[in-house]
Amino acid sequence: MTPPINDRSTRIGDVAEILLDYVEQKTTYQAQSIAHVRTSTYTDPDQWKAEMELVFRRVPLMLAFTAELPEPGDYKAMEAMGLPVLINRDKDGTVRAFLNVCSHRGAPVASEGRGNCARFTCKYHAWTFGQDGRLIGLSESATFGDVDKASLALRALPCEERAGMIFVCLTPNAPLNLDQYFRGFLEDFEGVGFDKWTYLGHRVIEGANWKIAFDGYLEGYHFASLHPSTIQPRTPSNRTFYEGFGPSMRIGFPQHRIAEALKDIPRDQWGEQENNGFDFVRILFPNVSAFLAPEITQVAQLFPGPTPDKNRTVLHYLRRDPIRDDEDRANVEAAINFFRDVTYQEDYIIGMEIQKGLEAGAHDELTFGRNERGNQYFHEWLNWYLQDDPSLPEPKM
């Protein structure tokens, strides 16, 4: 079921108690049964195309952070699912999103990256657009002919800023209901003041089919074998608790030291101890994994493609406090590179080996154990969207 999150501290304290029990009893969250997923799920071009149309073009995607566009006039131009997207904050502080395509001849009106400007000018013929997307100027308009400027605005995309993140739907005029979609989960980010955090930078890595890569973020069963010197010293393998919020998840991981960390803290204060004895990975369906930590936070943003056997992952880094000085910046850059290297070298490389294995056709199905409920839940929701029938019952955790 979807747990209530309106009393966030109480709920987190309850999860901490469960995680402590998992460590002491050497057990973990258990699904009702094992589950099977077709191998072709990761290789079939037709399914990949269906995922693009029925999932990535329809659901709210987290495309930017408040911390990336903190000031009026800030913008971010990027590619998402093969589409050029422009996100900007206007002079009144409102965030908007558009297809980054000039209405004259289709060129971009902003170069990829971030910046600050009062208007956007297409470099092809210098047509100019305001922060609200309206066409406000044509070069040499006297020779061009009469045009209806109101009908030549940038094509807007549904967009909403919540809890320190900016969500966009890639289909113009599509409904965007974040409360219905996230079922209270965004209040969890609001609880840590995510909208006040500092953006530190990003790194880009590439890997196998997006679901192969994403599967790795959804369980801790592999920590001892795949991460013996990086994650395992902090976090035990196969000790995981899952909560569902619609198709999204909060995954609890105990630390080895959870008993020691909590032993002198009153039970009613355990809900304020995240990262002291236990951690969470927050999953925003379909493609975001966020590990919030006080030292540095990594948010992985997975983009499928450009072909079914590949994904492009943008690893974003944030923390509560701004950069203090040059030494602090150097330490931050070193930490960013460390997390990037661990993610790529220990997770994404084996993911590409898995891709080759699945394409070899050795097995018709993959098996997810009772201890891998997060993976089961993700694939159940993915299949629910691919059936394209809202009358079907939704998956339950």
Side-chain angles (χ1 to χ4, degrees), residues 40-52 56 79 81-82 206-213 302-313 352 355 359:
S40 61
T41 295
Y42 302 91
T43 61
D44 181 17
D46 290 333
Q47 171 157 340
W48 186 79
K49 292 176 183 176
E51 291 164 356
M52 300 307 101
F56 283 89
E79 181 179 304
M81 317 313 305
E206 297 179 350
N209 176 276
W210 72 278
K211 297 180 297 297
I212 291 177
L302 285 76
F303 293 106
T307 54
D309 60 334
K310 293 181 173 61
N311 89 84
R312 176 178 177 268
T313 296
M352 288 184 280
Q355 184 77 48
E359 291 174 352

Side-chain angles (χ1 to χ4, degrees), residues 136-181:
I136 57 177
L138 286 71
S139 60
E140 301 190 42
S141 58
T143 64
F144 190 85
D146 294 333
V147 297
D148 178 12
K149 289 183 179 179
S151 68
L152 292 172
L154 298 177
R155 181 61 60 89
L157 295 172
C159 175
E160 186 173 345
E161 182 177 25
R162 289 277 294 278
M165 295 171 286
I166 297 168
F167 297 91
V168 178
C169 180
L170 296 179
T171 298
N173 301 315
L176 185 70
N177 189 327
L178 298 185
D179 290 325
Q180 181 181 36
Y181 185 72

Side-chain angles (χ1 to χ4, degrees), residues 42-287:
Y42 302 91
T43 61
D44 181 17
D46 290 333
Q47 171 157 340
W48 186 79
K49 292 176 183 176
E51 291 164 356
M52 300 307 101
E53 292 302 321
L54 298 177
V55 181
F56 283 89
R57 296 285 179 94
R58 294 192 182 183
V59 306
L61 299 179
M62 196 287 290
L63 293 188
F65 302 92
T66 296
E68 288 184 276
L69 291 81
E71 302 297 334
D74 285 349
Y75 71 86
K76 177 181 181 180
M78 61 182 294
E79 181 179 304
M81 317 313 305
L83 297 177
V85 176
L86 173 63
I87 303 168
N88 80 298
R89 187 180 301 280
D90 69 18
K91 63 181 180 180
D92 296 322
T94 300
V95 170
R96 306 172 188 271
F98 308 95
L99 291 173
N100 185 14
V101 180
C102 180
S103 54
H104 173 216
R105 297 272 291 279
V109 300
S111 299
E112 188 166 323
R114 290 188 298 274
N116 184 286
C117 64
R119 60 187 61 85
F120 299 98
T121 301
C122 174
K123 63 183 178 182
Y124 196 9
H125 295 95
W127 281 33
T128 303
F129 300 83
Q131 294 175 336
D132 59 1
R134 292 183 302 113
L135 176 61
I136 57 177
L138 286 71
S139 60
E140 301 190 42
S141 58
T143 64
F144 190 85
D146 294 333
V147 297
D148 178 12
K149 289 183 179 179
S151 68
L152 292 172
L154 298 177
R155 181 61 60 89
L157 295 172
C159 175
E160 186 173 345
E161 182 177 25
R162 289 277 294 278
M165 295 171 286
I166 297 168
F167 297 91
V168 178
C169 180
L170 296 179
T171 298
N173 301 315
L176 185 70
N177 189 327
L178 298 185
D179 290 325
Q180 181 181 36
Y181 185 72
F182 286 109
R183 319 285 174 91
F185 196 23
L186 296 183
E187 295 173 21
D188 194 28
F189 290 86
E190 291 170 351
V192 298
F194 201 51
D195 60 327
K196 303 296 192 300
W197 288 31
T198 296
Y199 189 77
L200 302 174
H202 74 277
R203 299 290 187 271
V204 177
I205 58 177
E206 297 179 350
N209 176 276
W210 72 278
K211 297 180 297 297
I212 291 177
F214 208 52
D215 275 334
Y217 293 96
L218 304 178
E219 46 89 1
Y221 185 34
H222 68 282
F223 287 173
S225 54
L226 194 63
H227 305 294
S229 62
T230 51
I231 297 178
Q232 171 66 16
R234 175 187 178 100
T235 306
S237 262
N238 207 28
R239 307 284 181 262
T240 311
F241 185 75
Y242 294 100
E243 302 166 272
F245 301 88
S248 298
M249 284 180 274
R250 185 170 65 185
I251 309 175
F253 295 92
Q255 298 170 12
H256 288 288
R257 59 182 295 272
I258 185 171
E260 175 188 355
L262 299 178
K263 68 178 181 179
D264 295 327
I265 297 174
R267 171 61 181 81
D268 61 1
Q269 296 178 24
W270 286 11
E272 305 302 322
Q273 298 302 309
E274 181 177 351
N275 304 127
N276 179 33
F278 61 95
D279 304 293
F280 290 107
V281 169
R282 292 164 170 87
I283 300 295
L284 302 180
F285 185 88
N287 69 327

